[in-house]
Amino acid sequence: MTTRGDIETLIARTALRDRTAFAALYDATSGKLLAVCHSVLKDRQEAEDTLQEVFLRVWNKADRYAVTGHSPMTWLITVARNIAIDRLRARQKAQTGKVGSETDVLPDTRPGPEAATIAASESRRIVACLRELPGDRANAVRGAYLEGKSYSDLAARFDVPLNTMRTWLRRSLQSLRECMSR
Amino acid sequence: MSADLPEMPDDDDDLMAGEYVLRLLSPDIERAMDRRVIDDPVFAARVRDWEARLAPMADELEDIPPAAQTRRALLTTLGGAPASTTRRWWLGTGLGLATLAALVVISPIPSLLQGPEFGAQIASTDGTLRFDATVTGDELVLARLEGGPRPGRALELWLIADGAPAPVSLGVLPETDSARIALSPDLVAQLTGAALAVSDEPPGGSPTGAPTGEVLAAAALIAL
């Protein structure tokens, strides 16, 4: 296991263009980040391609990591997920001519401090809080976060009107926020 | 998605930040929020909070080890020679040397580069002992970043060559923050696929020529 401190050090050294550190960062985190990409894209090859893009972004933006105030895995997962969803939207747009989304959505210039870590306790916390939601509501949140589903995808999947889905999601977010602040 | 703002209007901005993080907003609104994140620190903080709250959901996903090809392509893109195939960055107290040897055997090395250079970041699992090693030519430079020997004990550095039957001692580490170690041509020839390890030993080093104490930290040498 690589600790949070190890990964933080590797990101800091990557920012200094240390290729050893970057390769080590890749070895320590690429399994999780590929899982994130694959969960969104459902296509192994596209997920691997996306993973490369993710790590190029990490190489180029490692110096911005500190200002996000995030734990290292939160930052890496957020970067990976956003790039994967960009790809997914672009693919959907190409297929249907319908709504896509910007390719450069992850704002890298977030100022300020604050934020949490993915410690084991944190992870158990959201899992526990998701469990407090009715099953389909929790699965809707999972579909949005882990699979990058849109409101209309989710409405179709759970067979409810769009506005109902939006209400579900927003109420779920409120419950999660409340539960996690306990 | 032109849904009207529902219940709890004072809460709306935070929920909007949550929807933004989930990527549920329509492209137009998402673009507007991209700008807001840059211009509005309060909104940006809400976004960060949601990112931090939600990211642990990824722990539900089983890791998927990427293809070796992906690593090679990535490192090649960065403008250097590929290091090796799926070399794991592993760290470990309690990792037996047999395990070490088994791990490093995995990698048949694609031929590399002009001016071989290797690096390794050797760290204990708890991060209290950390070294940075680089090899240039026949010289290994070891910088101590964190930690030191236990009271009344010494630290000894070992090279575990790919397929070698036993680790080779590179010497007891001095008290200083960095050490320069000259490698024999024989050892230089064995660096590809090798690993470095640091063990806890009695003062003066292992009396047997093999590690006798706990392996405190280890790492594969990565070709750069």
Side-chain angles (χ1 to χ4, degrees), chain A residues 13 48 110 151 170 177, chain B residues 12 14 19 51 70 121:
Chain A
R13 298 178 61 109
E48 300 252 1
R110 288 170 199 163
Y151 273 132
R170 290 170 64 95
R177 185 185 56 201
Chain B
D12 197 60
D14 195 48
E19 290 176 291
E51 286 173 346
T70 301
Q121 296 187 330

Side-chain angles (χ1 to χ4, degrees), chain B:
Chain B
M1 250 125 296
S2 56
D4 300 322
L5 302 183
E7 70 290 334
M8 305 187 69
D10 53 328
D11 203 26
D12 197 60
D13 209 38
D14 195 48
L15 293 181
M16 174 83 99
E19 290 176 291
Y20 173 69
V21 169
L22 284 173
R23 304 286 300 264
L24 286 168
L25 300 173
S26 66
D28 287 350
I29 299 180
E30 185 166 282
R31 263 192 297 276
M33 294 305 113
D34 289 343
R35 281 191 294 275
R36 250 191 99 188
V37 164
I38 295 167
D39 297 336
D40 176 352
V42 174
F43 185 74
R46 293 183 189 283
V47 166
R48 278 197 309 278
D49 285 347
W50 279 111
E51 286 173 346
R53 283 187 195 111
L54 295 170
M57 286 175 69
D59 288 354
E60 290 187 5
L61 303 174
E62 192 89 19
D63 285 16
I64 304 175
Q69 163 61 21
T70 301
R71 188 186 199 270
R72 272 198 299 276
L74 178 68
L75 292 180
T76 305
T77 306
L78 291 189
S84 80
T85 53
T86 43
R87 185 80 52 73
R88 288 282 111 188
W89 163 256
W90 42 269
L91 307 155
T93 40
L95 252 184
L97 286 172
T99 320
L100 284 185
L103 274 173
V104 281
V105 167
I106 303 169
S107 25
I109 299 302
S111 67
L112 342 153
L113 71 163
Q114 54 295 57
E117 195 174 323
F118 296 86
Q121 296 187 330
I122 314 167
S124 59
T125 34
D126 62 3
T128 55
L129 188 63
R130 289 197 298 122
F131 299 92
D132 182 57
T134 54
V135 180
T136 312
D138 62 358
E139 186 179 61
L140 185 153
V141 176
L142 190 74
R144 186 152 55 96
L145 306 174
E146 201 86 52
R150 293 167 178 168
R153 303 283 290 175
L155 294 174
E156 188 159 353
L157 181 69
W158 305 88
L159 178 78
I160 303 130
D162 189 0
V168 175
S169 175
L170 297 180
V172 174
L173 299 182
E175 295 287 315
T176 51
D177 285 344
S178 77
R180 291 173 182 276
I181 297 162
L183 302 173
S184 68
D186 185 40
L187 287 180
V188 171
Q190 299 180 55
L191 293 177
T192 297
L196 292 173
V198 173
S199 70
D200 173 56
E201 299 294 341
S206 162
T208 67
T212 59
E214 189 184 346
V215 175
L216 300 173
L221 270 174
I222 298 176
L224 302 178

Side-chain angles (χ1 to χ4, degrees), chain A residues 30-42:
Chain A
S30 55
K32 177 58 71 191
L33 299 188
L34 180 58
V36 169
C37 294
H38 189 262
S39 178
V40 170
L41 292 163
K42 318 278 189 226

